[in-house]
Amino acid sequence: MRHVHPSEWSWRAGEGEYVHHWLKELMQGESPDMILYGAPLSRSSISPSAASAYPLEFRKMGKGFTTYNLEEDIDLRAFTVRDAGDIAMHTTDILLSHSRIEEATEDIVQTFSSSTTCMIGGDHSVTACAVRGVKKAYPTERIGILQFDTHLDVRDPSELGPANGTPIRQLIDGEIVQGSDVINIGLHGYFNAASLVTYAKQHNIDMVTLRAARRKGVAETVRTKLAELAERVDRIYVTVDMDVLDIAVAPGVPASTPGGMRADELFDALKVVGEHSEVRHIDFVCLDPMRDVATMATVKTGMYAFLEFVTGRVNQTRGK
Ligand SMILES: [Mn+2]
């Protein structure tokens, strides 16, 4: 796999009942249920961000969580997750880093074609690269995107460059994904200019406001929308911009806002996402541990969100 190197850091954990015991380094010849990899890039963020530090802090946070999900009464160790490490980022050259994310993702999704892939960002620009990589690996397939985000992320790359406000537009204008195959859940408030909503409407992006999602419940909305999307596409890529969360629960996300999603809503939604068999890829982006509060509240939320997705995957592989 081009550009992917083992994480610079790991718990020398041995066996045990905690997440850091279970998230083991990928070894040659293994084909786990899920491949985890980091894309530690945030120089492309519009607001100052150290989301590049999230893959490392995410791994460290494993020590604070058990693999046993009390509410579901299941142990996630039934599902194998292997950590392939991080994509090597260039210190100054964002475009080079982007092309590495694309190439690494292409290799990972091709090599581990039956595994779910989970990329830990990084700012949201990494998603455009990863989806292009998936498209390169499966050029004849139609890819759908479920996006959890406060923003549409359709700002114009000709103004900003390929920054974190642009990934969905890059994918639509680049004809990698059709606008009508993009569902955004979590939009609210005063954070998307009218011109961007016009672009989204022109390209038939399915905009589901947080208020609309709450009318029948966020998780139930996700279930319905995924079923609709799965009718049209061959595989689904889910991208979780942690800025979808309310700023009170996600202070460590540069662009989180008041009036955002509650943590429990995101957790329940991700379990539904994990249970859906057409979902092949997921990423978690824009969490900046350097701006988190002292107890790493947002990193904890990020790890919890990841585990809820895995819980859904365990249910899915059990045929539930
Ligand atoms: Mn975003």
Side-chain angles (χ1 to χ4, degrees), residues 124-125 147-153 164-165 167-168 239-243 285-286:
H124 217 163
S125 71
Q147 177 187 10
F148 292 94
D149 208 315
T150 286
H151 311 92
L152 286 160
D153 289 350
N164 65 338
I168 300 301
T239 180
V240 184
D241 189 330
M242 294 296 284
D243 80 17
V285 300
C286 286

Side-chain angles (χ1 to χ4, degrees), residues 41 45 76 306:
L41 177 74
S45 174
L76 303 182
F306 165 76

Side-chain angles (χ1 to χ4, degrees), residues 73-299:
D73 187 27
I74 59 167
D75 197 314
L76 303 182
R77 287 180 295 183
F79 187 82
T80 50
V81 182
R82 290 291 179 266
D83 184 354
D86 286 335
I87 304 167
M89 294 293 129
H90 191 274
T91 309
T92 56
D93 189 336
I94 291 170
L95 298 183
L96 179 59
S97 295
H98 279 165
S99 74
R100 288 180 183 171
I101 296 168
E102 184 174 324
E103 289 170 354
T105 301
E106 179 188 357
D107 290 355
I108 288 169
V109 301
Q110 205 152 53
T111 308
F112 301 96
S113 57
S114 59
S115 306
T116 304
T117 66
C118 177
M119 181 174 72
I120 306 292
D123 69 57
H124 217 163
S125 71
V126 302
T127 299
C129 314
V131 175
R132 283 193 296 263
V134 172
K135 184 70 180 175
K136 274 193 177 159
Y138 301 99
T140 59
E141 288 196 20
R142 185 165 161 185
I143 302 171
I145 293 182
L146 174 63
Q147 177 187 10
F148 292 94
D149 208 315
T150 286
H151 311 92
L152 286 160
D153 289 350
V154 295
R155 291 178 70 176
D156 190 350
S158 69
E159 286 170 26
L160 294 169
N164 65 338
T166 70
I168 300 301
R169 178 135 171 192
Q170 289 183 51
L171 293 170
I172 293 172
D173 291 353
E175 298 182 341
I176 305 295
V177 173
Q178 298 178 32
S180 54
D181 293 338
V182 176
I183 299 170
N184 185 314
I185 297 180
L187 298 162
H188 65 98
Y190 307 89
F191 310 106
N192 292 274
S195 58
L196 301 182
V197 175
T198 301
Y199 175 94
K201 285 180 177 165
Q202 280 167 351
H203 292 82
N204 299 311
I205 294 175
D206 189 355
M207 292 181 277
V208 185
T209 65
L210 188 51
R211 188 171 294 173
R214 277 175 173 153
R215 257 181 232 129
K216 64 175 184 176
V218 174
E220 200 47 43
T221 301
V222 167
R223 195 186 309 278
T224 308
K225 289 293 172 184
L226 277 177
E228 285 174 18
L229 187 59
E231 294 281 308
R232 307 196 288 274
V233 302
D234 300 304
R235 64 174 63 225
I236 297 174
Y237 187 109
V238 177
T239 180
V240 184
D241 189 330
M242 294 296 284
D243 80 17
V244 74
L245 288 171
D246 193 281
I247 194 167
V249 297
V253 182
S256 63
T257 64
M261 199 176 278
R262 300 193 313 265
D264 63 291
E265 290 174 321
L266 180 63
F267 297 157
D268 290 348
L270 285 170
K271 191 159 75 66
V272 170
V273 166
E275 286 169 355
H276 203 284
S277 58
E278 310 284 327
V279 173
R280 307 296 310 137
H281 317 284
I282 191 166
D283 66 36
F284 295 88
V285 300
C286 286
L287 201 166
D288 173 358
M290 300 300 169
R291 113 177 22 214
D292 208 355
V293 293
T295 53
M296 284 288 186
T298 317
V299 176

